[in-house]
Amino acid sequence: MKVGVLSLQGGVIEHVNHLKKLDVEAIEIKKIEDLKSIEGLILPGGESTTIGKLLKDTNLFLPIKSLILSGLPTWGTCAGMILLAKEIENDHRRHFEVMNIKVKRNAFGRQIDSFKSKDIIPKISKEPIELVFIRAPYITEVHNDVEVIHSINNKIVAAKQNNILVTSFHPELTNNLEVHKYFLKMIN
Ligand code: GLN
């Protein structure tokens, strides 16, 4: 199986390494030709404004948007979630606008900029998973076809809409592979 990891900025290599541990061929997506033959796509964490700008500069924006709309399984972690959202509460920028969610950037506030937690996410695994948040967004509204997968203190931090998965946290920064496995099941 070939899974692309958008490789313009941010936490790319950690996703690539997790995919390799699961015997998946990870393709770093830097230009349009790299999109050929991928069966899934990960949009990593980083800075959504920077990645958004680079998507336009590299002309990757439209081909990726049309692949997502045509059903390519796609997972956005953190900044990736912001790129996929139709609405962003505290930013005038919009990116792919393919998922019926409203997100808030840097939503946990300065005081708790980054934190870890541990939780069982029944839809993903029976074992507790370490959740790492870094200047993370959360989802403030969900609309049509969106299934909430996980919340922390009533703040939605994981959700799915058909072929699109989003997480506020970073499973690629832990040793746990369960969320990656869950995404691979969406591809199969
Ligand atoms: N704060 C970043 C943004 O708004 C996201 C942080 C992350 O991806 N770890 O784009």
Side-chain angles (χ1 to χ4, degrees), residues 44-49 77-80 82 105-106 134-137 170:
E47 201 50 47
S48 56
T49 49
T77 50
C78 205
I82 297 165
R105 293 182 65 198
N106 305 315
I134 304 170
R135 295 187 307 284
H170 293 270

Side-chain angles (χ1 to χ4, degrees), residues 6 31 54 57 67 121 133 136 142 168:
L6 183 68
K31 50 187 188 324
L54 293 170
D57 294 349
L67 282 172
I121 305 179
F133 295 85
V142 296
S168 299

Side-chain angles (χ1 to χ4, degrees), residues 3-20 26-30 42-46 51 77 170 172-173 180:
V3 173
V5 182
L6 183 68
S7 183
L8 300 175
Q9 189 261 338
V12 176
I13 198 68
E14 294 83 356
H15 275 297
V16 168
N17 290 339
H18 266 41
L19 291 171
K20 284 185 183 158
I27 315 275
E28 290 192 33
I29 308 292
K30 296 185 167 154
I42 295 178
L43 307 176
I51 302 175
T77 50
H170 293 270
E172 76 285 7
L173 297 181
H180 287 76

Side-chain angles (χ1 to χ4, degrees), residues 55-71:
L55 279 165
K56 301 273 167 64
D57 294 349
T58 52
N59 293 320
L60 276 165
F61 182 80
L62 284 176
I64 290 180
K65 179 163 176 166
S66 75
L67 282 172
I68 301 170
L69 289 174
S70 66

